[in-house]
Amino acid sequence: MKMDPNFSRVLHVDLNTGKSKALQIEDRHMHIGGSGLAAVLYDRYGIDDAPADDPRQPLIFAIGPLTGFYPLMSKVVCGFRSPYTDEWSESHAGGRLALSIRFAGYDALMITGKAEKLSALVVGSRSCEIENVTYLRGKDVFATGKFLRRFGKKNAGHRSAIRIGQAGERGVAYACINVDSFRHFGRMGSGAAMGFKNLKGIVVSGDGSFDLPEGKAYAEMMKDIYKDITETGKMKKYHDLGTPQNLIPLNELQALPWNNLQKTQDEGVEGISGETFAEQLLLRQAACAGCPVGCIHIGLLRQQFASEHEFLYKQVSYDYEPIFAQGSMLGITNAADVLALLDETEKLGLDCMSAGVALAWAAEATEKGYISQEETIVELKFGEMKGFLEGLKFIASGENAFYQALSRGSMAAAKLYGGEDFACVLGQEMAGYATGEVFFVASAYGFRHSHLDTGGYAFDQNNTEKNADKAIEFMLEDERGRIYINCMMGCLFARGTYGPEKLKEALTAAGFQNIADNLEEAGKYIQKLRWQLKCRTGFDVDAVKIPKRFTEVVTWKGEIDTGYMDEVAQRYASAIKEMAKCGE
Amino acid sequence: MKRLEAVRMEQCIGCHSCSLACARLVHKKLSWNTAGIRISSAGGLTTGFEAQVCVACDPAPCAEVCPTDALKQRKGGGVIVKHDKCIKCGKCAEACPVDAIYYEPESDLPYLCIHCGRCVPFCPHNCIELREIPTYEEE
Ligand code: SF4
Ligand code: SF4
Ligand code: SF4
């Protein structure tokens, strides 16, 4: 196969008709790929005034121009109308999906319509089938993965199987898409977006190959970048303890949310620290395809299933955020308990962060008497794993009216049952950083309400003075830098290696001089388009609220300064309006 | 004579750096299929990884069935590959007992390991090695 630097090649699958088209999307120097390509596709195929569950809405999976060419260019963006906010949104994931899409010969897959029967899409460089999989209705994520592996067997190892569980099929607003067992399009409800289409899974076989660009430049550049990543030791921490290394430092800083953010520090952290996980439960590390770092940490969960010495064992991936959401946030201080919850979450196909934070709200609402066991069916109590384990299942099954509300988010439930003040929602259920004003604002207003939109948490940690100008400048600048990476679909861990200048060199060596020459221009265009899409699909910058709980947080800097937080919020809101030219 | 051996696959993290390096440096392709070494998981990601790579047979069944000497016995084991002599019969891939030959459908050519060792420095976990073939194995 040959790559054309001027076009993105997109496979458009219409589930209504069962037919597909390979599209050539022009002006690659403007949309680049990844987030930019997804935005351009939504701009053309999305329907702004129809809701997220309208079958016509596109579900998009895009890679970047450098996917497959360089290490850590290993991510895929999923672009979709969020069942949680109804707005245009993105979620990013690794695994083997990125290389599989690349070697299937596409820059993106776009799915529109709704299959008549529960289906799986099976794609390769010379194949495209929609398979009837009604027998997978209600099957959990692991069982589904096993069945899906019957497709594309010839290409074992060089394919990717993504799928949804019960939560996605039932339309839980924070259902995720599982990627190759251990990675996820976690946040904002992509799993439900897939469920709306009656699409249980997608198998992509990366069974094609490309001719290399002429000359030696590419191989040389690859060698340099590879060396920089593997020999300078800067990636070691991601492989060693991995992201959970942050639990102890954040707890020491008084920035780790505990018990639904009622506190930011607890001695119990020792039980769920990265060190404890590594020493007691770590089974092995794995990598996304095309990444030599290997940051995926897989723990061994050994469970007794009968009174005799009868055990089963499971492999469960863990990271900082999942340990926060289903550990400290729920008052759980035992690492194996956290793995047990994560395992269940994985099976059901829920986003572990949102599910954990939603249950934390329910536990506090129970403590405060807003709800009782009449609503929660089981006792939801901080520190006690078993109740939460049942709670997860009830969210996925929509067991009663209470859990149906909770499956739309903790704020949706709080609006019905009370307790809005302590619903830890910043656009969506919070991420694990109680670092202060800038992070709270960045998440509440951020494009995908993620800790990854900008490094607001890092700004809080590195700056003691309260300077709103500096904070805004940082957020805007940092977002722009991340947009480049998110269009290349590089891993954010590699943003130190892939600065704008390096990206230009890497693009040129791989045959994308046109993108390299236009990078700044394209960055501005994409940043604006993304915000416009979010505003066009319902985001009201002026309606954003930061719940009271966030004003009560005490960190190492002392109490939250609400005046400062308001100022940063207002300034960021106007900056967003300026970027999006909302209302124009 | 040396041969590539996947000696420590228990340490493999499934990054595919080896395959990508082989495709890039030896076969001049951007691919993970047209590579001498290919990594797969035995049954989903939960079971660890295995390598599909030429085990350097002597005599080599793939060379024996090749009608045109596109694959020729290499001294010490394995084969020497000459794509320009290949008539695209596909017999070699069928003959290999360990599925080490990737038969690429677009160019209609076999891709397999030539035991050059260029992938070795790209393995971050020290799983693969270019090793001297022990004399007791050589005749
Ligand atoms: S390619 Fe297969 S048959 Fe040929 S030498 Fe290698 S292992 Fe033996
Ligand atoms: S030894 Fe050479 S031919 Fe064999 S897999 Fe490694 S790079 Fe490819
Ligand atoms: S380079 Fe090493 S760790 Fe990576 S897939 Fe190959 S053998 Fe495994």
Side-chain angles (χ1 to χ4, degrees):
Chain A
M1 297 188 287
K2 292 226 179 332
M3 225 176 276
D4 188 331
N6 299 307
F7 295 91
S8 287
R9 188 162 181 260
V10 178
L11 182 70
H12 176 190
V13 179
D14 180 355
L15 291 174
N16 287 338
T17 61
K19 295 287 179 199
S20 302
K21 270 193 201 111
L23 309 174
Q24 299 268 61
I25 305 296
E26 71 290 346
D27 292 338
R28 199 173 188 168
H29 68 292
M30 288 306 283
H31 65 249
I32 305 178
S35 290
L37 174 57
V40 163
L41 288 171
Y42 179 81
D43 194 30
R44 291 189 197 178
Y45 293 88
I47 297 150
D48 292 349
D49 52 11
D53 62 359
D54 189 306
R56 294 171 296 173
Q57 301 292 11
L59 172 68
I60 298 160
F61 299 93
I63 57 171
L66 300 180
T67 303
F69 279 98
Y70 299 106
L72 281 95
M73 291 293 172
S74 46
K75 297 271 180 172
V76 180
V77 59
C78 177
F80 57 104
R81 282 286 292 276
S82 164
Y84 189 99
T85 60
D86 215 37
E87 296 153 16
W88 169 246
S89 191
E90 287 177 8
S91 180
H92 300 191
R96 282 185 302 214
L97 184 61
L99 288 203
S100 297
I101 295 178
R102 161 62 72 233
F103 295 129
Y106 297 104
D107 297 295
L109 307 178
M110 174 169 69
I111 297 130
T112 57
K114 180 174 180 176
E116 212 172 297
K117 300 210 166 95
L118 192 67
S119 298
L121 172 64
V122 182
V123 176
S125 67
R126 285 171 295 274
S127 57
C128 175
E129 311 287 340
I130 296 162
E131 306 277 353
N132 177 349
V133 295
T134 33
Y135 53 94
L136 293 180
R137 170 87 53 212
K139 289 272 180 299
D140 73 44
V141 163
F142 298 131
T144 304
K146 281 206 184 91
F147 281 109
L148 288 180
R149 269 177 234 123
R150 295 179 181 184
F151 300 115
K153 252 198 182 137
K154 246 180 32 210
N155 215 42
H158 293 175
R159 69 183 159 162
S160 176
I162 71 175
R163 64 270 190 183
I164 57 172
Q166 195 186 6
E169 281 183 50
R170 283 206 57 267
V172 172
Y174 42 88
C176 76
I177 302 175
N178 179 293
V179 180
D180 301 326
S181 303
F182 299 128
R183 301 282 93 184
H184 319 85
F185 293 108
R187 312 226 71 196
M188 306 302 281
S190 60
M194 195 154 139
F196 294 152
K197 305 204 158 303
N198 238 343
L199 187 60
K200 182 73 172 167
I202 306 177
V203 179
V204 185
S205 285
D207 55 358
S209 53
F210 291 92
D211 295 333
L212 279 190
E214 301 285 322
K216 288 205 184 106
Y218 163 60
E220 289 294 314
M221 176 64 62
M222 169 71 196
K223 205 167 111 200
D224 275 5
I225 292 178
Y226 195 87
K227 213 167 163 183
D228 181 55
I229 281 168
T230 53
E231 286 176 16
T232 50
K234 58 179 156 194
M235 292 289 169
K236 194 173 159 279
K237 60 181 181 187
Y238 298 117
H239 179 73
D240 185 23
L241 291 180
T243 52
Q245 66 168 344
N246 286 327
L247 278 138
I248 286 183
L250 279 167
N251 190 64
E252 267 169 18
L253 259 188
Q254 288 181 270
L256 179 64
W258 284 90
N259 297 21
N260 198 40
L261 196 56
Q262 297 184 69
K263 48 185 178 174
T264 51
Q265 194 172 54
D266 193 285
E267 282 169 10
V269 74
E270 296 295 337
I272 55 168
S273 69
E275 291 78 355
T276 299
F277 269 90
E279 280 154 24
Q280 298 178 3
L281 299 168
L282 177 61
L283 184 67
R284 61 193 173 97
Q285 287 103 325
C288 295
C291 167
V293 175
C295 76
I296 304 174
H297 286 65
I298 299 166
L300 179 71
L301 176 62
R302 184 167 173 260
Q303 284 176 319
Q304 191 165 12
F305 64 86
S307 53
E308 300 288 301
H309 289 103
E310 295 199 86
F311 293 92
L312 53 84
Y313 71 93
K314 293 174 180 170
Q315 302 186 35
V316 189
S317 70
Y318 64 85
D319 257 302
Y320 171 76
E321 298 288 353
I323 300 174
F324 135 75
Q326 305 205 346
S328 65
M329 196 66 170
L330 297 175
I332 302 228
T333 53
N334 174 297
D337 282 353
V338 177
L339 279 195
L341 289 174
L342 291 176
D343 176 57
E344 192 58 44
T345 307
E346 196 80 277
K347 268 202 328 227
L348 298 165
L350 287 164
D351 169 38
C352 64
M353 291 167 70
S354 299
V357 176
L359 286 173
W361 169 82
E364 188 175 340
T366 305
E367 260 179 10
K368 295 206 154 66
Y370 288 97
I371 48 175
S372 69
Q373 221 157 305
E374 210 169 299
E375 283 81 25
T376 58
I377 308 172
V378 286
E379 194 186 8
L380 299 180
K381 196 169 170 208
F382 289 116
E384 294 186 6
M385 181 269 278
K386 290 223 164 76
F388 294 126
L389 194 75
E390 296 308 310
L392 289 167
K393 295 179 198 163
F394 295 150
I395 291 175
S397 66
E399 199 66 14
N400 60 14
F402 170 73
Y403 282 104
Q404 283 160 24
L406 199 60
S407 74
R408 296 192 299 274
S410 32
M411 194 53 94
K415 286 209 162 103
L416 294 173
Y417 296 88
E420 290 172 59
D421 284 353
F422 55 86
C424 295
V425 174
L426 297 165
Q428 65 179 329
E429 273 67 13
M430 76 177 294
Y433 304 89
T435 53
E437 298 86 350
V438 178
F439 172 70
F440 297 153
V441 171
S443 303
Y445 289 81
F447 177 75
R448 48 188 178 122
H449 306 294
S450 160
H451 57 297
L452 302 170
D453 290 321
T454 67
Y457 53 93
F459 185 88
D460 283 328
Q461 289 177 60
N462 300 335
N463 293 275
T464 37
E465 48 163 345
K466 290 173 185 162
N467 184 334
D469 282 333
K470 233 174 108 181
I472 298 298
E473 199 181 309
F474 168 84
M475 286 195 276
L476 297 178
E477 191 58 39
D478 201 40
E479 178 184 314
R480 220 165 353 239
R482 286 168 189 243
I483 280 178
Y484 298 139
I485 300 274
N486 291 340
C487 288
M488 305 300 158
M489 290 327 291
C491 177
L492 283 170
F493 291 160
R495 62 187 188 278
T497 298
Y498 293 113
E501 288 316 306
K502 193 81 209 167
L503 278 179
K504 285 185 199 169
E505 288 171 36
L507 281 161
T508 306
F512 296 101
Q513 176 95 48
N514 57 335
I515 301 178
D517 290 346
N518 193 50
L519 197 62
E520 280 88 7
E521 208 49 48
K524 278 187 219 144
Y525 163 73
I526 292 160
Q527 187 173 33
K528 180 170 172 192
L529 179 61
R530 283 166 95 227
W531 280 112
Q532 278 179 336
L533 295 182
K534 189 169 165 78
C535 293
R536 263 165 45 191
T537 51
F539 182 56
D540 179 357
V541 194
D542 297 316
V544 175
K545 282 200 187 78
I546 297 181
K548 183 152 174 251
R549 172 56 43 87
F550 295 99
T551 65
E552 299 163 343
V553 168
V554 179
T555 72
W556 76 103
K557 291 186 202 172
E559 287 175 15
I560 291 295
D561 181 337
T562 49
Y564 173 52
M565 188 151 80
D566 286 346
E567 194 189 346
V568 176
Q570 275 171 21
R571 302 275 295 276
Y572 195 39
S574 3
I576 290 170
K577 283 191 216 163
E578 178 61 32
M579 272 188 283
K581 297 273 186 262
C582 283
E584 265 180 33
Chain B
M1 260 308 168
K2 292 185 170 175
R3 72 178 167 211
L4 181 78
E5 290 182 24
V7 277
R8 280 176 291 271
M9 287 308 288
E10 321 77 55
Q11 298 179 14
C12 175
I13 55 169
C15 68
H16 299 270
S17 301
C18 50
S19 311
L20 292 163
C22 176
R24 178 173 71 244
L25 300 169
V26 180
H27 302 295
K28 310 292 174 215
K29 296 268 189 200
L30 185 70
S31 162
W32 53 2
N33 276 7
T34 56
I37 182 166
R38 296 178 306 281
I39 305 301
S40 62
S41 39
L45 269 181
T46 49
T47 43
F49 300 95
E50 49 193 33
Q52 272 180 295
V53 63
C54 169
V55 293
C57 310
D58 189 6
C62 57
E64 282 178 343
V65 297
C66 177
T68 57
D69 276 352
L71 263 53
K72 247 173 109 172
Q73 183 68 47
R74 170 177 170 264
K75 200 172 156 284
V79 291
I80 296 159
V81 186
K82 292 257 175 338
H83 274 168
D84 54 352
K85 290 191 182 168
C86 175
I87 57 162
K88 309 176 191 299
C89 70
K91 278 192 175 165
C92 54
E94 286 165 27
C96 174
V98 295
D99 283 333
I101 301 179
Y102 178 71
Y103 199 83
E104 207 275 314
E106 204 178 313
S107 59
D108 225 348
L109 287 169
Y111 286 84
L112 63 153
C113 177
I114 56 168
H115 303 281
C116 68
R118 295 175 79 176
C119 53
V120 174
F122 287 92
C123 175
H125 275 246
N126 208 12
C127 309
I128 48 181
E129 234 177 77
L130 197 65
R131 281 188 169 175
E132 203 60 54
I133 298 173
T135 41
Y136 66 82
E137 282 190 30
E138 292 186 50
E139 282 171 72

